[in-house]
Structures are given as C-alpha cells and as structure tokens.
Amino acid sequence: MKKRFELSSGLQGETLVRKGMKRKRSMSEQIRIAPDINVIKIGGHGAIDYGREVMHPLCEEIGRLSKKHQLLVVTGCGGRVRHIMDIGMDLGMPTGVLAELSAKISEQNAIMVSILLSKYNGTRIHTGDLLELPMLLKLGILPVTHGTPPYGLYEHPSRTDMIPPHRTDTGAFLIAEVLGAKNCIIGKNVDGLYTEDPRKNPDAEIICEITAQELLDMNLPDMVLEPMVVELLKEAIHIREVRIINCHTRGNIEKAIAGKKIGTIIRAE
C-alpha cells in the first residue's frame, strides 16, 4: 500500500463511496449549460400517435414559439413501444435489452418530429450532441432528440417488474437537469395529473400542485407521469419542478413557459 501512487487532489485517498466524504467535500455550484432553454417533452402515446390531426398544429405552435424562446423538443415512444415490450417480455428478454429496444422507437419519433419541424430549422440531434446545444441554438437550430436515456443494456433489473424504469419522461427530466434548463414541460393528452384515470372515472379530480413526496405518499395505482421522475425530482439541483400539460390544447406550451399555473405542477418540496 505504501508504494501506491496517488495524484494530489482534494479526493486523494478516497474511495468515493465513504459516507463521510460528502461532509468533507463541500458542494460547489454546478454550471447551468443552457439556463434559458425550455425542455418540451412530446409524448408518443399522448401526442405523436394521434397523427396529423394533433401533430401538425402542435408542430406549428412549437415552431412559432421557437422564434421567441429557446426550445429542446424531446420525443416519447407511444404505442409501438408497448407492442415491442409485450413481445420482448413474452420472449424473456432482460430489462437492459428492453431498454435498448424502446430507444429505437423514441428515435423513430424524433426523426419524424424533426422533419415536421424542418421549416422551423428543426434538426434531429443525438444524446451525444447535447453539450453542443449552446452553439446549435446560436445557429438558429430547433433541436429535437429522443427521450429514452442511454442506460441501454446497463438499465438495472427488478425482481418485480421487467419494464425499464428510466423511460422518456425520465429522459426529458434528466436532460433538463444536466443542462440546468429553465423549464421541464411534459406534454400529455390529459389536462394534468389526476387522482384517478379521468378516461375511466369522469369524476376524477385534477391535482393542480403537489410536492414530489406528497405524490409518492399517495401511492396512485396509475400515473400519467413515470414514477422515476418523481423520485429523481426530490434530489434535483436545477429542476425543482415539473409541469404536466395537455399539449393538444393550443397555447398551453406558451403558458407553461411563461410560468402560468396550468395543468399540474410537481415541486421538489
């Protein structure tokens, strides 16, 4: 051990897993790479799968807003991922393989949405291009990427559920967090988060505002948002709230960007 070579640093000799290390190393302020950008998640099941009736006016709205605001459009998967998940689980595919398969679907949607936005300089970018966003935005590009986070084969398994927990809502949130974005807005086909599925129970009540822990304590049997987003939100540094809106309704995205109370706001605390 005496012959071990150590680079001189504030973490010299540390294991990076020792509990007391966090107290020893003070937290420094993290850089916000793109503090003015609004991450807009467009659901596959909630929007893209509806086709031209929903997507043409939605892309027109997004294109118009991109002239006034910095936007990053993140696409979800939709019905096709449910099909491949069902087949994959039936065949016994590991969770990591299911994550790889689902990424292919959200990538397809990103390609289609970028083409729909091409007249507004919509350009499909890869996850590896995210650090180039400041330059791309200055060039007038409207970036579009897919939302499946690149855990891929490294997605952790679960004894109780084969479906990957880090999906496209989570990917949009993680992108917004690492970029230090202004907003993380999740577009769905309902007006927000409800106490029950409003399509099954018309008397279900909308939740206008709630904290992450309060939402977890409710233990809802079904949520329009991936539960992993709520878990991650509690510990986030930059993104301290997530907004769920109905992206079928014109003007909702602009209202959310402006900070108006619309849909459901889930706060970190």
Side-chain angles (χ1 to χ4, degrees):
M1 295 296 289
K2 291 181 180 180
K3 295 181 180 180
R4 176 181 289 176
F5 178 74
E6 289 278 4
L7 293 175
S8 178
S9 74
L11 297 177
Q12 184 175 348
E14 284 290 357
T15 65
L16 303 184
V17 295
R18 186 173 65 84
K19 290 183 178 179
M21 188 189 70
K22 292 183 180 179
R23 294 190 293 272
K24 177 182 175 182
R25 184 72 174 180
S26 60
M27 177 73 76
S28 58
E29 185 176 353
Q30 294 185 20
I31 293 172
R32 299 185 83 118
I33 299 170
D36 296 321
I37 202 166
N38 298 277
V39 176
I40 312 294
K41 158 73 189 306
I42 302 301
H45 182 65
I48 299 169
D49 286 355
Y50 285 82
R52 69 167 57 229
E53 182 181 352
V54 168
M55 287 305 297
H56 281 198
L58 177 56
C59 286
E60 182 183 335
E61 179 181 5
I62 290 172
R64 177 178 56 80
L65 288 172
S66 71
K67 304 303 179 185
K68 299 188 294 181
H69 304 279
Q70 292 185 5
L71 305 181
L72 169 62
V73 179
V74 179
T75 58
C77 295
R80 298 192 309 285
V81 80
R82 289 154 175 77
H83 176 67
I84 197 65
M85 286 281 187
D86 182 52
I87 293 174
M89 287 190 292
D90 183 59
L91 293 173
M93 294 296 106
T95 299
V97 173
L98 295 176
E100 287 279 314
L101 293 171
S102 66
K104 310 300 182 189
I105 308 298
S106 55
E107 285 184 61
Q108 292 171 3
N109 283 339
I111 292 170
M112 291 193 291
V113 171
S114 67
I115 292 171
L116 288 174
L117 291 167
S118 58
K119 66 178 179 179
Y120 304 104
N121 296 327
T123 304
R124 183 270 184 105
I125 67 169
H126 300 270
T127 52
D129 300 322
L130 288 172
L131 293 181
E132 311 298 332
L133 273 178
M135 177 192 69
L136 296 175
L137 292 167
K138 284 180 175 146
L139 291 173
I141 287 173
L142 172 52
V144 181
T145 192
H146 73 95
T148 306
Y151 288 88
L153 295 175
Y154 297 92
E155 178 68 271
H156 64 78
S158 169
R159 284 185 176 273
T160 58
D161 191 2
M162 295 171 67
I163 296 175
H166 299 92
R167 301 191 298 280
T168 55
D169 288 349
T170 306
F173 172 81
L174 290 171
I175 289 171
E177 172 66 15
V178 76
L179 291 175
K182 178 183 177 183
N183 286 307
C184 181
I185 299 165
I186 310 290
K188 300 287 185 178
N189 59 352
V190 289
D191 291 332
L193 180 66
Y194 286 79
T195 53
E196 298 178 61
D197 188 338
R199 289 163 294 191
K200 297 177 181 177
N201 180 7
D203 297 324
E205 296 181 6
I206 190 169
I207 301 170
C208 295
E209 192 168 330
I210 192 169
T211 69
Q213 190 57 57
E214 287 170 344
L215 182 53
L216 291 171
D217 290 343
M218 289 180 71
N219 194 27
L220 296 174
D222 190 16
M223 280 201 301
V224 73
L225 182 73
E226 292 165 20
M228 183 59 72
V229 176
V230 188
E231 292 281 1
L232 294 172
L233 179 60
K234 293 190 298 179
E235 303 297 331
I237 301 296
H238 294 136
I239 301 299
R240 302 298 291 168
E241 67 179 39
V242 171
R243 295 172 182 266
I244 303 172
I245 64 166
N246 190 333
C247 62
H248 292 218
T249 304
R250 296 295 294 271
N252 275 359
I253 295 176
E254 186 168 18
K255 289 176 183 176
I257 289 174
K260 295 182 180 178
K261 288 195 174 182
I262 183 173
T264 297
I265 299 174
I266 306 172
R267 300 194 185 280
E269 57 187 20

